[in-house]
Amino acid sequence: MEQPELKNIRNIGIIAHIDAGKTTTSERILFYTGKSHRLGEVDDGEATMDWMVQEQERGITITAAVTTCYWQDRQINIIDTPGHVDFTAEVERSLRVLDGAVVIFCAVSGVEPQSETVWHQADRYHVPRLAYINKLDRVGADFFGVVEEIRQKLGANPLVLQLPIGQESELEGVIDLLAMKELRWEVQDAGQTIHESDVDPSRLHLAREYRQKTLDQLSRVPDPALADRITELYLEGAEIPLELARQAVRRGTLERTFVPVLCGASLRNLGVQPLLDAVVDYLPAPDEVPAPEGYHVKKEKKVQVPARRDGPPLGLVYKIQTDREAGNLSYVRVYSGEFRDGVAVYNVAKRKRERINRLLRMHANRSEPLASVGAGDVAVVVGFKLAQTGDTIGSDQFPVLLGEMHFPEPVISIAIEPRTLSERTKLESALHQLEREDPTFTVKENEETGQLIIAGMGELHLDVLVTRVIDDYKVQAKVGAPQVSYRESVSTAAAHAERYHKVLAGKENSAMLTIKVERLARGTGNRFQSLVAPPTLPQELVDAVKRGVLAAFGSGIMYGYPVIDVGVILSGAEYNQSTSTPLAFEAAAALGFDAACRKAGPVLLEPIMRVDILVPQEFLGEVLGSLSARKTEITGIDSKPGVENIHAHVPLAHMFGYSTALRSATQGRATFTMEFSHFAPRMDFTAP
């Protein structure tokens, strides 16, 4: 298959809050672009993009499926991402490799908590966006209310390109404000035929009012020539050519000056084709986004990586998935050059060479072979044994590390053990494979009990992973009750001088060093710094101290939980040429770190969750009362038609079982979402 030109590729993600209609919209896109010949429904468990058994059973998206389709001779690589906060890593790693995104909002619920989360994630990666207001056929749909929420809650500048014709059960179609035409979809052929007509006189006043607002925004695009031309035509009362208006929308979208807003009802097959047109017309090609920055390992400096087919090969592994027949599938976004089937590539992060056994173009869980994949495209590599999420692949002539991805810390853990001792190895193998796939999932062995402890982002996250262990890997396992994953830190600064001396195998090992620890701002992470350098202390011993400190971070101070937000400084050391060994300095560093931390006022930190609850007004008092018993800090309450939206911070330890309690208190009518916010000292903790 011939590779498409860069200008003809669109790498887009479909992101939103859970149940906003992402997967349904994806299914319609596949149908209208000819990738599937029937409409798969999430509610029937037959959605193409939700191919995992668990996704079909639970009716939610868990993994970021990827597929390729074609519209107007453009290749669109679509990544359909989860909306549930427990699977935020899937959204995060997808955003890292996207050029543009379609953010779907429910016309009834509006801007929901996870919508805000993914919006700010997209801000961090500077991803241009389109907004699509879905479910306008539902009772309580409010198009203009959602547009205002996008403005108020997200701080965005919505550019309304369409208005709905009718609302709720009377939804007929949409008005295209740039073309000033009404669009309606044929029911008989699942919306494949679109009927176009002039705007009805009864709607003309509203359409003209919003068109004027849209043109006013277009006259301020960050392109003086375009802005002046539109302003000139507007003031003259002349017709603004459709192509000129679309150029202005494209420019403003790419510069993230505004967010084009479209609307529809995907389940009723209304509005999807204009959304595809907007993806092609307004979202960027790979060479229209800023070139990513990488770190050149040999030159030790930052370099730009422009999207060029004739450049050095460079790509980012953004996802690892296991296939029982093919082995590890490495999802790669290619930023520069070209990768060919059957050739060896250089893993810059691991500093090892690996071979591409096969290149595949994925269509959810189906695939087609590729001979090569070039800059700007996305493909799957079969054959990598060492690659992990976030690794850069390329050549040793151009060893550049692309930027790292940010993943939140796991906050909840459970013990897991095999039902029979003989399955222990099989269980460990399955868990470590899942750990490679999911950066927010960790596995470790409790040194005292020998139990395997798995940690993740929430109860649903761990439930899904345990189900995969049992169903996919055929390991009979039993799990304990969920436990909070605490952290440890220090409250002040302290220093400690550690002297180490031991005779091992007849050889004397000695070290003397001074370590200082200090508290860093919450969320900063850990830091190691050495004020001692060669020739005072050989570099191999400085490196040994660093290894000892980094290992000690994971071992805890008082209670064995990982240490966070601590700065460590090696401020002094004594070196004896005959007895100073890396082993001695590594051991001294671990002991010195532990002693210094104990002097620095160690504190136990617990995860505080950001909780958003939508509750009918008549149950507000009861819900607030139950929250106060859970040591909740209410940060705000927003009133919406018929419901109250409570924003709160709650310690995770007090949220176990809350789902059942909320349902019983509100007759099943309230819903809540919960995501990690920050770590804070736990005041009532006593040492075990």
Side-chain angles (χ1 to χ4, degrees):
M1 185 182 286
E2 196 175 310
Q3 289 189 35
E5 291 182 46
L6 277 169
K7 67 178 182 181
N8 290 335
I9 296 177
R10 300 289 182 273
N11 292 310
I12 68 160
I14 299 183
I15 54 179
H17 188 92
I18 189 170
D19 207 27
K22 296 180 307 303
T23 303
T24 301
T25 304
S26 299
E27 292 299 317
R28 296 316 184 262
I29 288 172
L30 296 182
F31 179 69
Y32 295 129
T33 56
K35 268 291 170 188
S36 60
H37 303 293
R38 57 185 293 279
L39 288 169
E41 302 296 357
V42 178
D43 295 343
D44 302 337
E46 294 183 356
T48 307
M49 298 292 270
D50 284 352
W51 56 270
M52 282 175 65
V53 174
Q54 286 199 70
E55 293 180 312
Q56 293 167 359
E57 288 175 352
R58 296 171 190 261
I60 61 171
T61 304
I62 294 169
T63 61
V66 61
T67 193
T68 299
C69 57
Y70 297 86
W71 187 255
Q72 294 182 17
D73 298 324
R74 303 289 202 282
Q75 176 183 309
I76 304 175
N77 297 323
I78 304 173
I79 296 173
D80 174 41
T81 56
H84 199 287
V85 291
D86 280 15
F87 307 106
T88 187
E90 290 282 343
V91 183
E92 187 78 29
R93 56 183 164 195
S94 302
L95 283 170
R96 174 67 180 78
V97 297
L98 296 176
D99 299 323
V102 175
V103 186
I104 300 181
F105 298 96
C106 172
V108 180
S109 306
V111 177
E112 297 174 272
Q114 182 67 358
S115 312
E116 294 186 61
T117 302
V118 294
W119 191 273
H120 297 313
Q121 285 175 313
D123 277 340
R124 184 157 71 235
Y125 292 116
H126 311 295
V127 178
R129 272 147 278 175
L130 300 175
Y132 175 66
I133 299 176
N134 189 26
K135 301 193 177 185
L136 280 163
D137 56 329
R138 291 265 302 272
V139 175
D142 181 2
F143 173 79
F144 299 105
V146 178
V147 170
E148 194 51 39
E149 280 194 26
I150 292 172
R151 190 189 318 280
Q152 298 291 338
K153 286 190 173 182
L154 303 177
N157 183 12
L159 178 81
V160 178
L161 296 183
Q162 294 177 345
L163 296 178
I165 302 171
Q167 211 152 271
E168 299 181 351
S169 60
E170 295 175 7
L171 181 71
E172 294 177 33
V174 303
I175 300 171
D176 182 335
L177 293 177
L178 295 186
M180 283 300 275
K181 295 287 182 184
E182 291 191 350
L183 306 177
R184 287 175 176 80
W185 280 260
E186 180 60 59
V187 177
Q188 305 301 326
D189 63 358
Q192 292 183 81
T193 305
I194 303 174
H195 301 290
E196 194 176 283
S197 60
D198 292 331
V199 179
D200 188 274
S202 64
R203 290 181 280 272
L204 203 53
H205 177 72
L206 183 68
R208 282 176 174 160
E209 178 192 334
Y210 271 86
R211 177 179 161 84
Q212 186 173 333
K213 290 178 181 177
T214 299
L215 294 176
D216 184 49
Q217 284 175 270
L218 293 182
S219 69
R220 297 196 295 272
V221 290
D223 181 327
L226 265 178
D228 291 349
R229 182 77 184 121
I230 289 172
T231 305
E232 189 182 309
L233 290 169
Y234 184 69
L235 292 174
E236 288 173 0
E239 188 60 38
I240 294 169
L242 190 57
E243 194 50 46
L244 182 69
R246 284 178 176 158
Q247 280 179 30
V249 176
R250 180 175 180 77
R251 186 59 196 267
T253 306
L254 298 190
E255 297 286 340
R256 296 186 300 124
T257 307
F258 44 64
V259 178
V261 178
L262 298 97
C263 59
S266 297
L267 194 61
R268 280 182 52 191
N269 309 318
L270 301 179
V272 178
Q273 294 98 321
L275 179 63
L276 277 166
D277 291 337
V279 166
V280 166
D281 292 341
Y282 306 138
L283 290 180
D287 56 350
E288 291 176 308
V289 293
E293 202 174 59
Y295 179 76
H296 199 295
V297 176
K298 287 182 181 173
K299 295 181 180 177
E300 297 186 348
K301 66 174 186 178
K302 290 184 177 177
V303 293
Q304 298 286 318
V305 184
R308 290 195 354 247
R309 291 275 163 85
D310 58 353
L314 201 68
L316 183 74
V317 178
Y318 71 91
K319 175 185 166 92
I320 299 285
Q321 190 176 310
T322 307
D323 183 276
R324 262 175 284 184
E325 293 173 13
N328 285 335
L329 304 180
S330 303
Y331 287 70
V332 177
R333 161 70 196 265
V334 184
Y335 284 95
S336 171
E338 183 180 83
F339 292 101
R340 303 193 72 79
D341 196 5
V343 303
V345 295
Y346 183 65
N347 185 323
V348 185
K350 301 285 189 296
R351 303 195 177 191
K352 295 280 172 87
R353 297 181 75 78
E354 295 208 74
R355 178 167 292 278
I356 298 174
N357 291 342
R358 278 191 294 156
L359 276 175
L360 302 174
R361 166 104 51 221
M362 295 302 288
H363 175 54
N365 63 331
R366 299 194 298 279
S367 62
E368 58 181 279
L370 288 176
S372 64
V373 60
D377 212 343
V378 176
V380 168
V381 174
V382 180
F384 287 169
K385 292 182 172 62
L386 302 172
Q388 289 179 289
T389 299
D391 281 1
T392 304
I393 60 167
S395 67
D396 42 14
Q397 282 82 37
F398 189 63
V400 170
L401 279 171
L402 291 164
E404 294 180 359
M405 302 186 196
H406 303 274
F407 294 113
E409 291 271 340
V411 294
I412 185 170
S413 63
I414 55 174
I416 183 168
E417 56 186 53
R419 290 198 179 273
T420 61
L421 213 56
S422 60
E423 289 199 301
R424 168 86 182 203
T425 306
K426 199 174 168 185
L427 174 62
E428 286 180 1
S429 173
L431 292 175
H432 288 304
Q433 187 57 56
L434 292 172
E435 190 177 25
R436 280 193 69 195
E437 291 183 22
D438 188 345
T440 58
F441 174 65
T442 62
V443 183
K444 69 174 184 179
E445 187 176 324
N446 185 308
E447 291 179 5
E448 291 178 8
T449 64
Q451 278 184 312
L452 288 170
I453 308 295
I454 58 174
M457 297 307 301
E459 290 179 85
L460 176 63
H461 186 203
L462 292 180
D463 186 29
V464 165
L465 290 165
V466 169
T467 305
R468 283 193 64 191
V469 166
I470 295 167
D471 293 349
D472 297 357
Y473 292 93
K474 310 299 181 195
V475 180
Q476 288 305 308
K478 49 187 180 179
V479 297
Q483 303 290 324
V484 177
S485 286
Y486 293 98
R487 297 291 184 272
E488 295 186 61
S489 192
V490 297
S491 53
T492 59
H496 176 77
E498 181 69 31
R499 186 177 295 277
Y500 178 90
H501 184 271
K502 238 176 198 175
V503 178
L504 297 168
K507 190 177 186 308
E508 200 174 340
N509 293 266
S510 70
M512 168 68 194
L513 48 79
T514 303
I515 275 183
K516 182 186 176 186
V517 298
E518 59 187 7
R519 179 196 163 180
L520 300 179
R522 289 281 169 260
T524 308
N526 295 324
R527 190 171 63 214
F528 173 79
Q529 180 186 2
S530 177
L531 302 180
V532 185
T536 308
L537 192 66
Q539 188 59 45
E540 66 168 345
L541 298 184
V542 175
D543 293 341
V545 172
K546 184 176 181 179
R547 282 197 305 275
V549 168
L550 294 181
F553 280 141
S555 305
I557 304 167
M558 305 286 285
Y559 314 111
Y561 295 110
V563 177
I564 61 169
D565 304 332
V566 172
V568 180
I569 300 166
L570 175 62
S571 56
E574 289 179 14
Y575 170 59
N576 183 311
Q577 196 167 0
S578 59
T579 61
S580 292
T581 62
L583 175 73
F585 271 83
E586 194 171 328
L591 294 167
F593 171 82
D594 189 58
C597 286
R598 287 172 185 268
K599 293 178 184 177
V603 290
L604 187 73
L605 304 175
E606 66 176 339
I608 305 297
M609 311 303 284
R610 185 186 301 115
V611 178
D612 282 271
I613 304 165
L614 283 172
V615 54
Q617 286 162 345
E618 61 263 38
F619 298 109
L620 180 63
E622 200 166 339
V623 170
L624 287 174
S626 73
L627 283 174
S628 66
R630 294 174 184 265
K631 301 192 176 179
T632 303
E633 177 197 348
I634 305 291
T635 56
I637 300 177
D638 296 334
S639 292
K640 293 187 175 185
V643 295
E644 299 292 326
N645 189 355
I646 304 169
H647 308 286
H649 283 141
V650 193
L652 175 61
H654 296 282
M655 286 302 290
F656 292 139
Y658 184 66
S659 179
T660 306
L662 183 67
R663 276 200 301 270
S664 61
T666 61
Q667 297 169 16
R669 292 173 60 195
T671 59
F672 81 101
T673 58
M674 176 173 75
E675 65 179 313
F676 171 71
S677 173
H678 61 279
F679 282 101
R682 179 170 175 180
M683 302 302 181
D684 60 343
F685 191 82
T686 53

